[in-house]
């Protein structure tokens, strides 16, 4: 998935199509067998991360919603590639953008291939607090399937070590590698108390395109989702 310096393409999935399937569902709460993390547990996660690696400069690798909704103000950002990882709709969600009856899928980094994204440099002060904020944003169920991990990324300025959130293959919410048609069918229909999965896809692909990041699989998925929404709601 190479980044190409070409003009932004027109997506098949448009804001108007997303509106057709946009809805808000009640929050069903944590999946049975899981709980929500306490503040002490989040602090423990951060302590373990900093015990593994205590960076002088804190970098965060973004590949999905952190690109369009980072919830932090970076000091610097660079295009980056994460070798050994690829962007994949491999996490099943039964809340947020899905329900128990119609689970959603969310992006995570899964093993294999490579992933083009953006690496953000965070302010130098209070790394503990900034990491804690990221844990609370990115990690849902306890035990989690989307887990924090220090990974190596490549940039034009040289290699970096950055924090990323990757899929745990043994996690309860891990969906594995699914056919693109199955992913598209899910994203075209699922929604939760944060809105629709189609909206999540639209915002992600739009921001990747705006940033000059081409992802062949996501581009194909947005085309399939557009077709499904048109088929289910009509041409008008």
């Amino acid at each position: 998935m190479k980044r190409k310096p070409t003009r932004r393409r027109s997506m098949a999935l448009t804001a108007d199509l997303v509106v057709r399937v946009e809805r808000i569902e009640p929050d069903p709460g944590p999946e049975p067998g899981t709980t929500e993390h306490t503040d002490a547990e989040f602090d423990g996660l951060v302590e373990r991360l900093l015990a593994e690696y205590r960076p002088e400069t804190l970098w965060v690798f973004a590949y999905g919603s952190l690109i369009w909704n980072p919830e932090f103000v970076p000091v610097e950002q660079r295009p980056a590639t994460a070798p050994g990882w690829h962007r994949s709709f491999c996490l099943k969600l039964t809340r947020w953008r899905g329900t128990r009856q119609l689970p959603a899928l969310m992006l995570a980094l899964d093993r294999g291939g490579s992933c083009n994204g953006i690496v953000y440099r965070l302010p130098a002060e209070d790394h503990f607090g900034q990491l804690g904020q990221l844990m609370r944003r990115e990690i849902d169920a306890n035990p989690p399937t989307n887990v924090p991990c220090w990974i190596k990324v490549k940039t034009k300025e040289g290699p970096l070590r950055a924090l990323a959130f990757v899929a745990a293959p043994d996690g309860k919410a891990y969906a594995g590698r699914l056919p693109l048609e199955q992913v598209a069918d899910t994203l075209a229909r699922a929604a939760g108390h944060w809105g629709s999965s189609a909206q999540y896809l639209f915002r992600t692909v739009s921001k990747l395109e705006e940033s000059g990041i081409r992802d062949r699989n996501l581009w194909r998925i947005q085309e399939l989702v557009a077709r499904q929404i048109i088929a289910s709601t009509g041409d008008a």
Side-chain angles (χ1 to χ4, degrees):
M1 300 178 189
K2 297 181 180 179
R3 194 179 294 109
K4 300 178 181 179
T6 55
R7 65 183 179 85
R8 188 175 177 182
R9 300 172 292 183
S10 296
M11 292 172 56
L13 182 62
T14 64
D16 288 341
L17 288 177
V18 171
V19 167
R20 297 188 192 184
V21 294
E22 192 59 36
R23 65 186 187 279
I24 302 296
E25 299 285 355
D27 181 9
E31 180 81 13
T34 68
T35 60
E36 294 182 331
H37 285 81
T38 65
D39 286 338
E41 288 170 330
F42 279 125
D43 289 347
L45 284 172
V46 175
E47 288 170 358
R48 288 194 290 275
L49 278 173
L50 293 176
E52 295 172 13
Y53 174 60
R54 188 174 291 273
E56 290 185 13
T57 304
L58 178 57
W59 294 92
V60 176
F61 181 72
Y63 53 86
S65 64
L66 275 176
I67 293 178
W68 53 265
N69 185 29
E71 295 186 7
F72 52 71
V73 180
V75 176
E76 180 187 353
Q77 69 180 65
R78 303 176 186 175
T81 300
W85 301 94
H86 68 281
R87 185 186 289 107
S88 175
F89 277 103
C90 61
L91 295 183
K92 183 179 74 171
L93 294 181
T94 57
R95 61 189 307 204
W96 312 111
R97 293 189 183 273
T99 61
R100 302 277 195 277
Q101 295 73 30
L102 185 55
L105 290 168
M106 187 181 79
L107 287 171
L109 288 183
D110 206 355
R111 293 280 183 180
S114 66
C115 177
N116 290 328
I118 296 174
V119 68
Y120 293 107
R121 178 164 65 91
L122 272 59
E125 66 275 2
D126 191 21
H127 285 177
F128 189 95
Q130 292 181 79
L131 288 172
Q133 182 179 350
L134 280 166
M135 299 305 111
R136 288 165 173 81
R137 181 197 188 282
E138 292 294 307
I139 296 176
D140 177 17
N142 185 10
T145 303
N146 198 27
V147 297
C149 178
W150 299 109
I151 66 171
K152 295 179 181 179
V153 301
K154 297 178 180 179
T155 72
K156 288 183 178 180
E157 294 80 4
L160 297 170
R161 197 171 182 184
L163 179 73
F165 291 87
V166 308
D170 58 350
K172 184 174 182 179
Y174 183 66
R177 300 187 183 187
L178 303 172
L180 299 188
E181 293 77 10
Q182 183 177 346
V183 172
D185 179 68
T186 298
L187 299 181
R189 298 184 299 120
H193 65 287
W194 276 12
S196 70
S197 292
Q199 180 192 76
Y200 173 89
L201 175 68
F202 174 75
R203 289 179 174 175
T204 301
V205 179
S206 296
K207 194 63 177 180
L208 290 175
E209 281 289 304
E210 180 184 317
S211 303
I213 300 171
R214 297 285 171 89
D215 187 305
R216 183 176 60 248
N217 286 341
L218 261 62
W219 192 256
R220 177 60 177 159
I221 289 169
Q222 65 87 23
E223 291 176 332
L224 292 170
V225 169
R227 290 183 191 176
Q228 290 207 31
I229 292 175
I230 291 171
S232 64
T233 62
D235 292 331

